[in-house]
Amino acid sequence: MTTTPRVDPNNVANLSADTTVDDQFPGAIALLEAAKTVTVLCHVHPDADTIGSGLALAMVLRRRGVSVQVSFGVPEMVPESMNELPGLDLLVPARDVRAEVDLVVTVDAGSRGRLGGLADRIDGADGCLVIDHHRSNTRFGTYNLVDDAAEATTAVITRLLDVWGVEIDVDVAHCLFAGLVTDTGSFRWVRPGSHLLAERLLATGIDGASIARKLLDNHPFGWLPMLGSVLGSAELVRDAVGGLGLVYAVILREDSVGLRAEEIESVIDIVRTTSEAEVAAVLKQQSGDEWAVSLRSKTAVDVSAVATSLGGGGHRNAAGFTAHGTRSEIVASLIHALA
C-alpha cells in the first residue's frame, strides 16, 4: 500500500507553483478524497484516451462511495468502437450533467473550449481538476495535473492511482489500455516505459488483442468508398514545410454521411504514410465554412506549435485546430504557418 502525503484540499492550488509533475499527485488526490460529488468531463468528439481515462477514474471513485457522472459535449452517443468499455453505465447525456458538484475533473482536454457545451459545468463546481498530457494545455483548472511527458492521459491516471494506493483491476485496466493503445498508434509512438505499462495492464487478464481490434480495426463497408474518394483527391505540396513536403486530403460533408467520427478521423493515419511529406493534414468539413483539421508529422516538425498558432493544440507529432473559410483559404493559412 502506498501512503499518500496529507494535503489540505483547501490549499492544493498553491502546490502547483514551482513544483515537478511528481509533486502534483498528492494535491490531486486530496481534491478527489475531499469530494462527495464529482463530474468527470471528456472532450468533445471523444477518443479512447479521454473516455478510457474518464471511466477508469469514475469507477474508482464510485467504489469509494462518491456520486460520480461521466459525460462529453458531442456527439450524443459514445463511439461504437468504445461501446464495450467497462463502466459505461456511468456515462450520462450532456443534458443530464449536474449543474453543481463538489469537483469537476477534466480528462485529456487541453483547453476549456475542448469541453464544448459542458464547459459551463466548471463554473458550478467548487473546484476543477485538470488531468492531461498535452503540452499545449492551457492550465484552465483550479488545480492542474499535466504531464506532457506521458504518452497518454491514461498513463497519467495510472500513476495517479499508484500514488493513491488504488489497485488496478481488470475493468480499470481495460479502460487504461484502450487509451494507451490508441494514443500510441498501436505502440508505434512510444516512450521509455510504454511497453512496461502495457505488460502490467495485460497481466490483469485483459485481452489486449481484442481491445485493439475493436478500437482500431473495425470499419463499416461504407468507409471503403469514402476512403477511395477522399484519398483520390489528396494533394502533395512538395515545397511546403521548407521543402519537407505537405500532403493533405479533404473530407466534405457529403463524403462522410452515415459514417462514425472514428471512420472520419482514421483517414489521417493513412494520409500520413506518404513518404514525400513530413506533414500530413486532413480537412474535415463540419458545417458551412467550418473545418476541423487534423495534423500529423513524422519527426522534424512540432505540429502542436503550428496548431496552437491557428487556435488549436495537441502533441508534437499529432495535433489539430478548427478554422473557418474556404478549403483553399484553410490550406493557404496552414502552409503559411508551416513555413
Side-chain angles (χ1 to χ4, degrees), residues 153-285:
T153 297
T154 55
V156 183
I157 296 291
T158 302
R159 291 182 61 198
L160 175 70
L161 298 181
D162 285 345
V163 176
W164 202 356
V166 173
E167 179 183 357
I168 296 176
D169 64 12
V170 65
D171 285 344
V172 172
H174 186 143
C175 291
L176 296 175
F177 187 81
L180 182 65
V181 74
T182 53
D183 256 36
T184 59
S186 290
F187 301 99
R188 284 175 291 179
W189 313 300
V190 295
R191 302 182 182 191
S194 299
H195 289 97
L196 291 174
L197 174 55
E199 181 179 4
R200 175 186 171 191
L201 297 175
L202 290 168
T204 65
I206 60 173
D207 186 342
S210 176
I211 293 170
R213 280 196 304 272
K214 175 71 174 178
L215 290 167
L216 300 169
D217 293 333
N218 282 292
H219 300 289
F221 178 78
W223 180 70
L224 295 177
M226 180 276 286
L227 196 60
S229 173
V230 170
L231 295 181
S233 67
E235 295 194 29
L236 176 64
V237 186
R238 294 180 181 272
D239 60 354
V241 200
L244 296 176
L246 165 71
V247 61
Y248 69 90
V250 177
I251 303 178
L252 301 175
R253 284 183 62 82
E254 53 262 35
D255 293 326
S256 58
V257 173
L259 293 178
R260 306 171 303 184
E262 52 256 54
E263 265 74 62
I264 299 168
E265 187 58 34
S266 68
V267 174
I268 186 65
D269 288 319
I270 299 174
V271 175
R272 65 177 290 277
T273 62
T274 302
S275 60
E276 298 91 342
E278 161 67 18
V279 176
V282 171
L283 285 67
K284 298 158 289 185
Q285 188 178 31

Side-chain angles (χ1 to χ4, degrees), residues 6-334:
R6 296 190 60 82
V7 179
D8 181 357
N10 296 314
N11 294 320
V12 291
N14 296 327
L15 296 176
S16 60
D18 301 320
T19 55
T20 68
V21 172
D22 288 344
D23 296 326
Q24 300 302 303
F25 288 96
I29 291 167
L31 282 172
L32 292 168
E33 289 188 332
K36 301 300 182 184
T37 56
V38 175
T39 297
V40 182
L41 296 181
C42 304
H43 62 66
V44 294
H45 303 293
D47 59 12
D49 194 25
T50 190
I51 293 291
S53 296
L55 293 179
L57 181 59
M59 284 190 288
V60 169
L61 290 171
R62 179 168 62 180
R63 293 168 189 169
R64 296 177 61 86
V66 176
S67 176
V68 58
Q69 295 179 325
V70 183
S71 194
F72 48 86
V74 290
E76 292 186 2
M77 302 292 291
V78 68
E80 186 176 335
S81 62
M82 304 174 213
N83 64 11
E84 295 179 0
L85 291 178
L88 286 175
D89 58 306
L90 289 164
L91 277 175
V92 300
R95 62 180 177 276
D96 295 335
V97 175
R98 292 172 293 201
E100 296 183 355
V101 289
D102 295 335
L103 182 67
V104 163
V105 182
T106 71
V107 285
D108 201 47
S111 67
R112 182 180 170 117
R114 287 287 281 154
L115 302 175
L118 289 177
D120 63 355
R121 297 306 195 275
I122 294 176
D123 303 326
D126 293 339
C128 175
L129 169 61
V130 170
I131 304 177
D132 191 23
H133 73 130
H134 292 94
R135 178 165 41 175
S136 58
N137 190 286
T138 60
R139 272 70 173 177
F140 58 96
T142 54
Y143 194 85
N144 303 289
L145 176 58
V146 180
D147 183 3
D148 60 16
E151 56 273 82
T153 297
T154 55
V156 183
I157 296 291
T158 302
R159 291 182 61 198
L160 175 70
L161 298 181
D162 285 345
V163 176
W164 202 356
V166 173
E167 179 183 357
I168 296 176
D169 64 12
V170 65
D171 285 344
V172 172
H174 186 143
C175 291
L176 296 175
F177 187 81
L180 182 65
V181 74
T182 53
D183 256 36
T184 59
S186 290
F187 301 99
R188 284 175 291 179
W189 313 300
V190 295
R191 302 182 182 191
S194 299
H195 289 97
L196 291 174
L197 174 55
E199 181 179 4
R200 175 186 171 191
L201 297 175
L202 290 168
T204 65
I206 60 173
D207 186 342
S210 176
I211 293 170
R213 280 196 304 272
K214 175 71 174 178
L215 290 167
L216 300 169
D217 293 333
N218 282 292
H219 300 289
F221 178 78
W223 180 70
L224 295 177
M226 180 276 286
L227 196 60
S229 173
V230 170
L231 295 181
S233 67
E235 295 194 29
L236 176 64
V237 186
R238 294 180 181 272
D239 60 354
V241 200
L244 296 176
L246 165 71
V247 61
Y248 69 90
V250 177
I251 303 178
L252 301 175
R253 284 183 62 82
E254 53 262 35
D255 293 326
S256 58
V257 173
L259 293 178
R260 306 171 303 184
E262 52 256 54
E263 265 74 62
I264 299 168
E265 187 58 34
S266 68
V267 174
I268 186 65
D269 288 319
I270 299 174
V271 175
R272 65 177 290 277
T273 62
T274 302
S275 60
E276 298 91 342
E278 161 67 18
V279 176
V282 171
L283 285 67
K284 298 158 289 185
Q285 188 178 31
Q286 304 299 292
S287 61
D289 69 345
E290 181 180 343
W291 301 81
V293 183
S294 295
L295 300 175
R296 299 291 187 272
S297 66
K298 291 186 170 69
T299 57
V301 175
D302 181 354
V303 289
S304 71
V306 175
T308 299
S309 72
L310 295 170
H315 310 288
R316 176 179 175 81
N317 301 117
F321 63 95
T322 300
H324 293 82
T326 67
R327 58 181 171 181
S328 296
E329 291 169 341
I330 306 302
V331 171
S333 64
L334 175 59

